Amino acid sequence: MAEPNIEFLYKYLNNASPTGFEASGQQIWLDYMKPYIDTQIIDVYGTAVGVINPGQPYKVVIEGHSDEISWFVNYITEDGYIYVRRNGGSDHQIAPSKRVNIHTRKGIVKGVFGWPAIHVREAATEERPTLKNIFIDVGAAKKAEVEEMGIHVGCVITFEDTLMELNNKFYVGRALDNRIGGYIIAEVARKLKENNIQLPYTLYVVNSVQEEIGLRGAEMISRRLKPDVAICCDVIHDTQSPMYNKKLDGDLACGRGPVLTYGPAVQNNLLNFMIDVATEKSIPFQRAAASRSTGTDTDSFAYSAEGVASALISLPQKYMHTTVEMCHKDDIQACIDLYYEILLKLEAGQDFRYIK
């Protein structure tokens, strides 16, 4: 990967884009996308779309979501401690001792999730972290002091951790779920432009908001774009690390390639088309099965309007919804390559219906 791509990756991943507050990250993404697209669409809640070859009757979406899990200020005690509630699937068990950024209209205020020292805890009776007892300390002695900092109920809070590399193989950090998907689809757009590819259809490169609280951004933009095909990108659990049960969670591993998922929302003819492309181009891939829904934006696109032929490309990830989410560099590149080859093979007007 060229240096500008890595600069974008770090800037984009390190920027905070909590659910409902994604605008700054979306601007970073759009600034990077500008040379590779013809025009852009931005909806009222901040979903960003790069449009390539606009105005064609056949419309294709590739999509990732931009938002990350976070917290809200929920209650401030009289002695200046802050209690929180989730914004998305934030993990209360990893919170103690984490550094946080509290986003206010005055700017970022630093804080920490405090926790009683091990010296004063009784092993037999000590409490585990729960939403009822985790708290943030901003170094204030009174509620009024907290409020003078610009902190109030409703301020959004993100963990401070930033992107790093591990063993020259992995990217590690918060919010790889799923801004790494935003990076992947941006690199697909770049690859199309740099190879002078003229697509026979309109391609919408979609970076959706508010996935973490119910796939809401994809739901909104799918109604606006009305695509014929949608191929979404998200993450999926690597099941090789301790405490996973392969009989329940499947046998998936970082480094073995992207995961293609089977499930009712996934259109089988489209899925088989993607598998054929991966096989023809010798792109490694894995398979997974989803019960009922995929739990990703694929569901919103699949069931929008009159139905959209939809499929899912997933990036294996360790330690999802923590500050040390891990994705393998080879899998990221394989996702980019698979998207690219699928788009080259896809024909305008291609009909994926089961019965014709």
Side-chain angles (χ1 to χ4, degrees), residues 159-208:
F159 291 124
E160 195 176 65
D161 301 66
T162 54
L163 191 66
M164 70 174 188
E165 296 182 36
L166 197 64
N167 196 23
N168 294 317
K169 296 179 181 179
F170 289 89
Y171 288 117
V172 180
R174 39 160 272 282
L176 274 75
D177 175 14
N178 178 41
R179 284 206 291 286
I180 198 67
Y183 172 77
I184 286 168
I185 59 176
E187 288 304 279
V188 174
R190 179 182 68 83
K191 193 171 182 178
L192 290 168
K193 183 69 172 182
E194 291 182 351
N195 289 329
N196 296 312
I197 301 300
Q198 299 297 315
L199 296 174
Y201 47 79
T202 295
L203 178 65
Y204 297 114
V205 187
V206 178
N207 207 12
S208 295

Side-chain angles (χ1 to χ4, degrees), residues 113-141:
F113 273 106
W115 195 246
I118 192 170
H119 313 73
V120 299
R121 304 199 310 261
E122 292 288 341
T125 59
E126 66 179 352
E127 291 186 69
R128 295 180 178 180
T130 71
L131 285 175
K132 295 179 180 179
N133 62 21
I134 58 173
F135 62 90
I136 290 174
D137 188 335
V138 293

